[in-house]
Amino acid sequence: MSPRIVGNHIGGVNRPARSGRTLDNVAPATGAVVATIPDSSAEDVADAVAAAQSARDVWSGWTTAERADLCDAVADALEARLDELAVLESQDTGKPVSLARRIDIPRSIANFRFFAGAVRHSQTGAHEMADAINYTLRRPLGTVGLITPWNLPLYLLTWKTAPALATGNTVVAKPSEMTPQTAAALADIITEVGGPPGVFNVVHGLGPSAGQALVEHPSVAGISFTGGTQTGAIVGATASRRFAKLSLELGGKNATVVFADADLDEAVAGAARAGFTNQGQVCLCGSRLLVERPIYEDFVTKLAARVEGMVVGDPAGANTELGALISHAHRDKVEGYIQLAQQEGGTLLAGGSRPSLPSPFSGGAFLRPTLIGGLSPACRTATEEIFGPVVTVHPFDTEEEAIQIANGVRYGLAASVWTQDLKRAHRVSTALDTGMVWVNCWLKRDLRVPFGGVKDSGVGREGGAYSLSFYTQDKNVCIQL
Ligand code: NAP
């Protein structure tokens, strides 16, 4: 099958980069080129921003109810194409189709439905004085730039797009060049269901060229970025120089903390899910597992057996639990950490090698889920973000020690705590230096709650009212009575 040709979506029309240059989009499970995308430059970004700027008046002229209705229509259209989108997402990322069908696409649909509802019910304040009244107007920022990573492509793009559009902004999105297909489909859908031309634009291409040009563009009033901490530092510095509003959702090295009183089977299942969902490529993955010493051996034996039994292979397989990693280069990086772990004194408790798979997956970027013990919690393997199917496991003796290990990294995105002691759950959750804590669960999501990290895991919060606030500016009007 010849590769699909994906274009930039600018002013409601799909078109190539001005230079005519393209990039190959490779399916990591097979190594096949499945699409070509524009290798966009600053010129293409400027075209997209111009289209977004010229759509601002039309879009902000729509009532809130009309914009919410459009978001609902987008959700309906995504739902009608759920199966097709799940296959595209799996093709681009290597993730199991079943995961995309169960999580990525349904949550993308939910994002549009949720923010349609949120703007329908949003309110602003009024503050009375003895002789005057203040009221608050909430206005869109204007044109916003949305930059998203490859791990949850449509899920994260819609997490930003839905509130940005619902609050009246126009958008230029730059998805990861490795996962362009569902962003292209979203652009077509928004146009098909009646989004005015220029309201939602997508520019494909590389981060340092297309992404950087978007962050630098003087007419882009806000940047919402999700990606690695190193890139976030560049994006943050660039956007701050021109005082663009900024949200940064960055990397993590999240701890799963299991106390001896936890329900053992539930904690094992939870730790396995937290460690290896999406091949360990979720920013929230629990890649450091801290287990209280009395249950350490038992826990690790059970978890290692569970991890060894995980089915790795054909992303379309009905029983597949892990598909391919995002790319061969990324697998090289992850394998480099497995080697480093062994140099640092670690022992492989499960996995650690590539699976042997039949054609067409024999050359895919697959890696068996890997559990490593025997490492110091302060070593590089246990403190740097690997972003792959690798979990290190460490015993601890006291609650204080668990907290100290969990907090001993530069990141502070999320944690999960497993205990049946409610007081301890509360104490530990309060002491953890993270933006989010799950107790006896992981990745349970309510779209109203604040999402984001502390330390090097990011700046700002998204979700519910936090997203509505990010994509708008409040203006106070004071009337003398
Ligand atoms: P990345 O390399 O930082 O890339 C993220 C996005 O930024 C991509 O679209 C990338 O384009 C673009 N980009 C790169 N350089 C840029 C620049 N100078 N200016 C503007 N944009 C630029 O991250 P990734 O490898 O795709 O994703 C993995 C990382 O994302 C992990 O660290 C993970 O923890 C983090 N993440 C965080 C969250 C969260 O909510 N906190 C959620 C998911 C993922 P190219 O792909 O073309 O380089």
Side-chain angles (χ1 to χ4, degrees), residues 151 238 371 416 474:
N151 65 326
T238 310
L371 188 64
S416 73
D474 283 354

Side-chain angles (χ1 to χ4, degrees), residues 398-414:
T398 63
E399 187 177 306
E400 293 68 32
E401 189 192 1
I403 292 165
Q404 182 245 320
I405 297 173
N407 287 345
V409 292
R410 63 190 287 222
Y411 299 105
L413 190 56

Side-chain angles (χ1 to χ4, degrees), residues 23 147-152 156 159-160 174-178 205-215 225-232 234-235 238 248-252 281-284 326 330 333 385 387 411 413 436 451-453 457-458:
L23 298 166
I147 301 179
T148 44
W150 46 258
N151 65 326
L152 303 166
L156 291 174
W159 176 238
K160 299 179 188 302
K174 207 302 279 176
S176 167
E177 91 281 0
M178 287 184 279
L206 299 170
S209 42
Q212 182 74 20
L214 182 57
V215 181
F225 170 86
T226 298
T229 295
Q230 220 178 327
T231 319
I234 299 170
V235 168
T238 310
L248 297 173
E249 302 284 354
L250 308 178
Q281 302 167 137
V282 180
C283 54
L284 306 162
I326 184 64
H330 187 59
K333 178 191 148 187
E385 186 184 42
F387 214 55
Y411 299 105
L413 190 56
M436 296 163 276
F451 183 100
S457 288

Side-chain angles (χ1 to χ4, degrees), residues 215-307:
V215 181
E216 283 173 357
H217 200 292
S219 302
V220 176
I223 297 285
S224 175
F225 170 86
T226 298
T229 295
Q230 220 178 327
T231 319
I234 299 170
V235 168
T238 310
S240 313
R241 269 201 296 277
R242 57 178 193 80
F243 306 110
K245 202 170 178 187
L246 189 60
S247 168
L248 297 173
E249 302 284 354
L250 308 178
K253 186 77 176 178
N254 312 296
T256 303
V257 185
V258 184
F259 287 95
D261 67 355
D263 180 309
L264 192 63
D265 291 337
E266 280 184 17
V268 167
R273 213 165 70 77
F276 300 106
T277 296
N278 205 38
Q279 299 72 244
Q281 302 167 137
V282 180
C283 54
L284 306 162
C285 271
S287 51
R288 292 182 298 148
L289 178 55
L290 317 183
V291 183
E292 200 169 6
R293 202 174 301 271
I295 59 160
Y296 183 81
E297 292 302 330
D298 203 12
F299 188 94
V300 168
T301 305
K302 286 194 166 175
L303 181 63
R306 166 77 186 99
V307 174

